[in-house]
Structure formats: C-alpha cells, structure tokens
Amino acid sequence: MITHRMSTNGNLTGRLLQNITVSVTHAQVKSGLPGWSRNSETPAFNRLYYIESGTGEVIINGVTHYPVPGQLMIMPAGTTQTTRTSAEDPYTRYICHFDAKIGEWPLFDSAHNLYISDAADPQLARETFEQMVSQFEDNSLPSALRIQASLLNLLAMTLQDGGYSNFMEELVHNGDQGKLAHVLQYIELRLTEPMAVEELADLVHLHPNYFIPYFKKFMGVPPMQYVQLKRMDLAKRQLTYSDLSISDIAEQVGMELAHFSKHFKKTTGVSPSAYRSSTR
C-alpha cells in the first residue's frame, strides 16, 4: 500500500467518487419517430444515448445541438428537453434511462446543457450498449452487475471522449462541495485530536442540526461516524507500517485501549493484533 497526502480537491474527489451510485431503469435500441419527438419535457431521470444513424436535433435548456452517428450524449435529469428527428432519416439510437447520485445529490447538474462526445471507439460504445440492452430483462445478480458496469463504462467514455476532463473539478468547486472540501481537509489534519460536530458545523456556518444531514447527503454517513471511519483508516496504516504499540495507536486516535480494540474489531472483523499480523 502506498500512502501520500492528497490535496484538498483530490481528497474530496476521491471521497465523493466512493459514494457514487447508479441504476438503470430502461435500456433498448430503437429506430424511427416514436419515442424521440418530445417538446419541453423535464424528466426526473438522466438519458444516455448512442446515435447509430439518422439526423435530428436536441434542444437542452434552450441550447440546440445536432447529434450525428457515432456520438454519445448525456441529457441530465431536470433539464428542459425538446427532441426532433427527420421523418426521412430518423435516428436509430441506443437508449438508457438512469439515475446517478453522489450520496443523495445528482451527479449530473440540471443547470448543464448536454454532455456530448464523438466516441473514440464507436464499436466499443455500441458493443457496451448492446450488452446493457441484452442484460436488461434478466433480473439475476450477474446481469445487474454487468448492467451497472456497462453504464459506468459508457458514462466514462462520454466524459473522457468529450473532453470533460474538469467534470469532477467543477463539481468540487460548486458552492456546497467547496464548503465540504474545507471540512474534509480539517478532519484529515486533526484525526489525532478531539473533534466535535459543533466545530465542524461552524466551519460552514451551519447549525449542527442542519450540518449533519448536509454532510450525510454527500458522504453517505453522519460527520462523526465519518471521523471514526477515518480514524480507523489511520489506525490500520499505523498497524501495518509503524512499530507503535497498539495502546499508543489507540491513544493517537483518541480512544481507550479496550474501546479501541472493541471498535476496531467491530469495524474490520479482526482484532488490531490480528490485523497487524495479517498485513505485514
């Protein structure tokens, strides 16, 4: 294991990415006019497309685009969408309706227009979509895993091939995420010191009653539970890479030895000494 100190934004990006959840609610291949011509819809789900052939237009939040064959595109939930296709040359398209969140927050911002890209490898994009469509009606666990994997791959292709390299950076710089970055850095630098939810809430000028659900929406757990998880991560690193005694490590993360041993075993399934033995 290699450990290093991450930058504020890098730390936040990594923590946010751990909390991404995606689910597919619809997947198919379709040709022709039906199902494409819509006027000023505002869906509650995201749409992902791969255009196989045809011509037409997409208007997202008032901005017009003309998708062409070989392109991938993401229409974020909550955007105002008008779509048209030519009667003489209608689109043949691979379709996916999906949800994507970081914690309880949407991954794709409804204020954004359209994420669109020329697929660097059209055959790979098509085959990945075909696998998703073929697995969609199967309710087995392997199929569910393959569907999620296909969706994540297609989202990665769209963002990477479209040059959206700053996607997470922009997400992190959003008002709420930027505030959270400050809190996470504060926690990271003070894991060996006493910490209270009131002081964390004060960093973003929120009452603790508002701060706790605010933090949980992004990180998936309440703030003090997150602090404990981070302290256990620190303890794991110390057990593996240092010669500190277990009692010294317990003191470092602010716990009595008996409480530390009990909490560590509850978190990891093994005692601190067993963990040290197995990771060296």
Side-chain angles (χ1 to χ4, degrees):
M1 182 186 296
I2 299 173
T3 61
H4 61 278
R5 183 169 298 285
M6 302 177 73
S7 68
T8 303
N9 285 346
N11 181 56
L12 176 58
T13 298
R15 295 301 170 190
L16 289 176
L17 289 173
Q18 290 177 15
N19 289 303
I20 286 181
T21 57
V22 296
S23 61
V24 175
T25 55
H26 179 72
Q28 71 173 132
V29 186
K30 201 163 188 178
S31 300
L33 297 172
W36 180 265
S37 295
R38 297 182 292 270
N39 189 50
S40 297
E41 272 194 10
T42 308
F45 52 84
N46 304 287
R47 286 185 166 111
L48 171 68
Y49 287 95
Y50 175 72
I51 302 298
E52 178 69 18
S53 62
T55 58
E57 66 180 8
V58 173
I59 305 171
I60 301 285
N61 290 344
V63 179
T64 303
H65 305 265
Y66 300 93
V68 298
Q71 287 189 323
L72 287 157
M73 59 183 179
I74 300 165
M75 299 181 186
T79 54
T80 302
Q81 305 174 6
T82 295
T83 54
R84 304 186 183 103
T85 188
S86 165
E88 294 75 28
D89 185 23
Y91 281 131
T92 295
R93 63 272 183 192
Y94 291 80
I95 310 163
C96 170
H97 297 171
F98 71 97
D99 295 311
K101 294 181 178 181
I102 295 179
E104 296 179 24
W105 293 76
L107 178 61
F108 297 102
D109 190 350
S110 61
H112 198 282
N113 290 321
L114 182 72
Y115 298 90
I116 188 165
S117 67
D118 296 316
D121 188 338
Q123 181 176 346
L124 177 60
R126 186 186 307 109
E127 289 175 352
T128 305
F129 234 125
E130 285 174 348
Q131 182 180 54
M132 183 198 297
V133 171
S134 69
Q135 299 285 329
F136 183 67
E137 296 301 329
D138 189 336
N139 293 321
S140 69
L141 176 60
S143 291
L145 295 174
R146 290 189 182 103
I147 289 168
Q148 287 210 348
S150 295
L151 174 59
L152 290 169
N153 276 324
L154 288 164
L155 296 179
M157 288 180 208
T158 306
L159 296 174
Q160 182 173 328
D161 298 346
Y164 301 100
S165 57
N166 293 328
F167 178 82
M168 286 303 297
E169 190 74 12
E170 291 172 2
L171 190 67
V172 167
H173 275 101
N174 250 349
D176 284 329
Q177 290 92 329
K179 291 178 184 178
L180 190 64
H182 181 44
V183 175
L184 294 184
Q185 184 185 42
Y186 184 91
I187 291 171
E188 195 79 31
L189 296 174
R190 292 167 177 80
L191 288 174
T192 60
E193 302 172 16
M195 221 178 301
V197 70
E198 289 79 9
E199 68 184 283
L200 300 179
D202 192 53
L203 294 172
V204 289
H205 311 294
L206 289 175
H207 188 281
N209 290 347
Y210 292 101
F211 174 70
I212 292 170
Y214 163 88
F215 187 97
K216 187 177 179 181
K217 278 187 176 181
F218 279 104
M219 305 310 298
V221 294
M224 297 316 295
Q225 185 178 342
Y226 176 82
V227 170
Q228 287 298 85
L229 290 171
K230 292 295 293 178
R231 283 175 172 158
M232 288 301 101
D233 286 344
L234 173 61
K236 290 176 190 176
R237 292 195 298 272
Q238 296 289 50
L239 287 166
T240 301
Y241 299 111
S242 82
D243 293 321
L244 290 172
S245 68
I246 293 174
S247 60
D248 284 342
I249 294 172
E251 183 178 351
Q252 192 176 64
V253 296
M255 295 184 183
E256 297 290 336
L257 178 58
H259 178 59
F260 170 72
S261 297
K262 182 179 179 180
H263 188 76
F264 189 92
K265 186 169 185 179
K266 182 179 179 181
T267 303
T268 65
V270 295
S271 68
S273 57
Y275 183 90
R276 170 168 269 174
S277 298
S278 67
T279 56
R280 285 195 165 188

